[in-house]
């Protein structure tokens, strides 16, 4: 049975945190909120716990996990060496939604790194995550707490829907803040490269490390090998998602034409819609799930995965959405997740 422990996100009950921490120390599986999405935690140095975690999520073994630590110093035993860049980045962005990929130490089990010579590490800022890590005093491997191929969970109810009966505890600390997974930055090769865009964007990283680049992992090839979990098919809801790209006018026109054509063929359509498009969409025989205003990408990021799950529950034949066109540090990450959902 999965137990749900409800805590105040700002000031979590230490008794409940202690219970969840004990469970982790004993090899259990505990879902908890981070500032990005809910994670499914297990003792990163306990192979059996890690194997249970992969089973619970139905996650392929070639998809490496992110190890969560309470403080920068807790990362030192997990890596081969601590590059200057890691220190500088952590000083600026930790705790927070930045994951660093570094050369690993032999202490980290192969199950965590999927056999790679690197390990991904992050220091989350959410008070519940921090309280749990501080209390458990172990590094905690935590992928997003969804079933593999389902959208990442941004509420405890999403975790419950996917993993009830498969894990020991869900610490419910309310909805997460950012709503998209952390930025994954590879610091293990010659040139630092973003493997997954997130709330810490390219410009913010370049302010600390000027030579950071973006690498497109979605296309496969070398980077797909470097980060096997970042294959395109990763964030998809069950219903096919069709992404119409381009500037607002173009993409909306394409989306509306597509919706009419599909409705004409008898398909039932859900549209994931920006507030700005609602008037135009009213004329169509579609069900609309609102994403919020395109002018507020932070709010869209917070809501995106919940909206994808809502669309999924409508049981439509297709979910249509257009690309986000506003310039904002989060827009690249949102567009990345829309593309993955649609792939
Ligand atoms: O925001 C987040 O990062 C959330 C919260 C729970 O912290 N976690 C998360 O974990 O999104 P997950 O497992 O869903 O995604 C981690 C991604 C994987 O797709 C994997 O490919 C990449 O990080 N990754 C992990 N270890 C890696 C490594 N050694 N080298 C390259 N990529 C790695
Ligand atoms: Mg995930």
């Amino acid at each position: 049975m999965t137990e749900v422990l409800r805590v105040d996100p700002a000031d979590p009950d230490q008794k409940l945190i202690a219970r969840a921490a004990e469970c982790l120390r004993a090899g259990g599986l505990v879902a908890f909120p981070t500032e990005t999405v809910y994670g499914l935690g297990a003792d990163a140095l306990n192979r059996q716990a890690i194997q249970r975690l992969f089973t619970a999520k139905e996650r392929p073994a070639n998809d490496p996990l992110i190890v969560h630590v309470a403080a920068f110093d807790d990362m030192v035993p997990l890596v081969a060496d601590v590059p200057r860049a890691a220190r500088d980045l952590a000083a600026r962005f930790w705790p927070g939604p930045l994951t660093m990929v570094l050369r690993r130490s032999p202490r980290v089990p192969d199950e965590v790194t999927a056999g790679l010579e690197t390990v991904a590490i992050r220091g989350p800022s959410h008070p519940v995550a921090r309280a749990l890590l501080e209390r458990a005093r172990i590094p905690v491997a935590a992928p997003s707490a969804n079933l593999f191929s389902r959208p990442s969970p941004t509420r405890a109810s999403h975790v419950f829907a996917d993993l009830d009966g498969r894990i020991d505890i869900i610490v419910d600390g309310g909805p997460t803040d950012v709503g998209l997974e952390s930025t994954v930055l590879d610091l293990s090769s010659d040139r630092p490269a973003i493997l997954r865009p997130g709330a810490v964007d390219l410009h913010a990283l370049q302010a600390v490390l000027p030579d950071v680049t973006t690498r497109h992992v979605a296309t496969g090839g070398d980077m797909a090998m470097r980060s096997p979990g970042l294959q395109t098919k990763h964030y998809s809801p069950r219903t096919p998602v069709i992404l119409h790209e381009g500037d607002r006018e173009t993409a909306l026109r394409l989306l509306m034409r597509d919706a009419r054509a599909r409705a004409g063929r008898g398909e039932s359509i859900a549209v994931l819609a920006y507030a700005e498009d609602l008037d135009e969409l009213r004329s169509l025989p579609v069900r609309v799930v609102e994403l919020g205003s395109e002018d507020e990408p932070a709010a869209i990021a917070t809501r995106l995965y919940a909206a994808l799950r809502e669309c999924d529950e409508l049981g439509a034949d297709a979910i249509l959405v257009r690309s986000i066109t506003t310039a904002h540090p989060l827009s690249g990450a949102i567009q990345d997740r829309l593309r993955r959902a649609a792939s």
Side-chain angles (χ1 to χ4, degrees):
M1 274 288 75
T2 300
E3 198 182 355
V4 179
L5 307 180
R6 197 155 294 140
V7 299
D8 176 352
D11 181 22
D13 181 333
Q14 285 300 323
K15 276 206 211 81
L16 297 179
I17 292 294
R19 223 156 90 211
E22 268 323 303
C23 180
L24 283 172
R25 292 182 61 86
L29 301 182
V30 176
F32 59 95
T34 80
E35 68 279 19
T36 57
V37 300
Y38 272 76
L40 177 58
D43 179 351
L45 304 181
N46 178 336
R47 288 172 194 273
Q48 275 175 344
I50 298 300
Q51 283 160 5
R52 280 187 66 209
L53 190 158
F54 274 91
T55 307
K57 267 187 67 91
E58 299 178 13
R59 180 177 175 113
N62 69 352
D63 191 351
L65 306 176
I66 296 174
V67 180
H68 295 63
V69 294
F72 187 82
D73 287 344
D74 298 333
M75 149 173 140
V76 177
L78 306 175
V79 297
D81 53 78
V82 180
R84 175 72 197 273
R87 226 169 254 292
D88 293 347
L89 288 166
R92 172 72 186 80
F93 298 110
W94 277 18
L98 174 67
T99 295
M100 299 191 274
V101 173
L102 297 163
R103 295 197 304 124
R104 70 158 168 157
S105 88
R107 288 191 64 188
V108 183
D110 283 339
E111 286 83 350
V112 170
T113 67
L116 296 175
E117 283 312 307
T118 55
V119 59
I121 304 185
R122 119 173 166 86
S125 64
H126 193 291
V128 173
R130 295 186 57 74
L132 190 57
L133 290 167
E134 276 161 16
R135 185 61 85 115
R137 300 191 316 279
I138 49 173
V140 172
S144 50
N146 51 292
L147 279 178
F148 183 71
S149 90
R150 297 275 291 142
S152 290
T154 51
R155 296 169 173 273
S157 60
H158 300 159
V159 181
F160 195 81
D162 282 11
L163 300 177
D164 179 32
R166 294 169 175 251
I167 66 176
D168 299 298
I169 292 176
I170 299 172
V171 183
D172 179 353
T176 62
D177 178 23
V178 178
L180 302 178
E181 305 85 345
S182 62
T183 304
V184 178
L185 180 70
D186 180 15
L187 291 175
S188 71
S189 43
D190 329 337
R191 192 160 176 202
I194 297 174
L195 303 182
R196 179 175 72 184
V200 178
D201 77 326
L202 180 65
H203 290 288
L205 290 168
Q206 282 176 337
V208 177
L209 268 194
D211 63 339
V212 175
T213 62
T214 306
R215 262 183 231 155
H216 292 281
V217 285
T219 47
D222 174 48
M223 284 315 293
M225 305 263 298
R226 193 182 284 279
S227 190
L230 292 173
Q231 306 120 332
T232 24
K233 189 82 186 165
H234 197 110
Y235 299 90
S236 306
R238 297 184 179 113
T239 316
V241 176
I242 291 100
L243 173 64
H244 290 283
E245 304 209 36
D247 59 65
R248 177 182 184 257
E249 307 309 321
T250 311
L252 183 59
R253 186 159 30 78
L254 289 170
L255 183 153
M256 291 179 68
R257 186 192 297 162
D258 187 16
R260 278 196 203 91
R262 286 170 184 274
R265 296 199 296 269
E267 284 184 34
S268 94
I269 307 299
V271 176
L272 205 52
Y274 303 101
E276 288 79 1
D277 298 350
L278 293 178
D279 277 344
E280 274 120 311
L281 293 172
R282 210 153 280 153
S283 64
L284 295 176
V286 299
R287 278 170 298 177
V288 168
V289 172
E290 286 187 44
L291 266 179
S293 169
E294 203 185 0
D295 286 333
E296 290 170 37
I300 290 189
T302 303
R303 179 154 161 68
L304 179 64
Y305 287 138
L308 275 171
R309 281 179 184 255
E310 283 168 35
C311 273
D312 234 6
E313 275 148 27
L314 293 176
D317 295 306
I319 299 169
L320 308 191
V321 61
R322 70 168 171 87
S323 41
I324 184 160
T325 55
T326 39
H328 183 278
L330 271 167
S331 298
I334 293 170
Q335 184 65 8
D336 170 78
R337 301 319 190 270
L338 289 175
R339 287 212 176 111
R340 288 173 198 270
S343 71

